[in-house]
Amino acid sequence: MTTYDRESILIRAVTITGTRSTGHRSLDAYAALFADYLGAFAEGAHFYIGGAKGIDSLSLLWLAGNTHADLTVVVPGTVGEQPAEARQAITRVRGRVKEVVELGATELGSPAYHARNRWMVDRSSMTIGFPKGDEPASGTWQTLNYTAEQGKPRLIVPV
């Protein structure tokens, strides 16, 4: 049994996934969604958050500022390769982040992002997803479906 296996049993470990396209709602609207759907799970939790723009960055900032939950940011390559918005969010809350995991992918295409998402789900007991639309090829839906394939619960909050 690994450290991550024990953590998944002893601590609520949650993967967050969601759309990168978030401009259709206000920051206040996202804060309200996070308060309702992340806040309910935050006490004593450990969140795994991808280091991308959109839901990843917004949820990281909200969790860091509004909870005491442990936070791990996971990127497919390196933090330096992430979009500026994501790098700025990580830097802004670095003191609140328990761990930054750089998976070292040599190419940052869909396969690397899907591998990152599976890595997070494999270490979590559930996934909370914030999809925009129902495009089955999106990374958010692939992550939610992978969670279901693993027999783990998922909470879907459409945005």
Side-chain angles (χ1 to χ4, degrees):
M1 182 176 280
T2 68
T3 301
Y4 291 110
D5 292 330
R6 285 189 295 278
E7 179 178 271
S8 181
I9 293 167
L10 300 174
I11 297 171
R12 182 181 308 110
V14 181
T15 289
I16 297 174
T17 186
T19 182
R20 293 181 188 166
S21 176
T22 55
H24 60 286
R25 288 183 183 244
S26 70
L27 293 177
D28 288 340
Y30 286 110
L33 283 174
F34 297 153
D36 289 344
Y37 296 103
L38 300 181
F41 295 95
E43 188 172 336
H46 185 143
F47 288 93
Y48 290 91
I49 307 160
K53 67 179 195 166
I55 291 294
D56 288 358
S57 293
L58 293 174
S59 64
L60 173 63
L61 292 170
W62 188 87
L63 286 163
N66 295 282
T67 75
H68 296 289
D70 287 338
L71 307 173
T72 294
V73 176
V74 185
V75 297
T78 67
V79 170
E81 296 170 314
Q82 294 304 108
E85 174 186 327
R87 289 192 317 270
Q88 290 166 1
I90 295 166
T91 299
R92 183 171 159 194
V93 299
R94 186 62 183 103
R96 273 284 291 116
V97 173
K98 180 177 182 178
E99 181 179 25
V100 174
V101 177
E102 296 177 313
L103 295 176
T106 55
E107 231 180 278
L108 293 183
S110 292
Y113 285 97
H114 296 318
R116 177 212 53 195
N117 294 343
R118 288 189 304 273
W119 189 96
M120 293 189 304
V121 169
D122 290 346
R123 287 154 180 79
S124 297
S125 54
M126 72 174 294
T127 297
I128 301 174
F130 297 87
K132 180 180 178 193
D134 58 359
E135 176 57 46
S138 76
T140 302
W141 280 108
Q142 288 189 350
T143 305
L144 289 165
N145 291 335
Y146 180 74
T147 300
E149 290 167 10
Q150 301 308 303
K152 297 178 181 182
R154 58 194 181 148
L155 174 60
I156 300 168
V157 183
V159 296

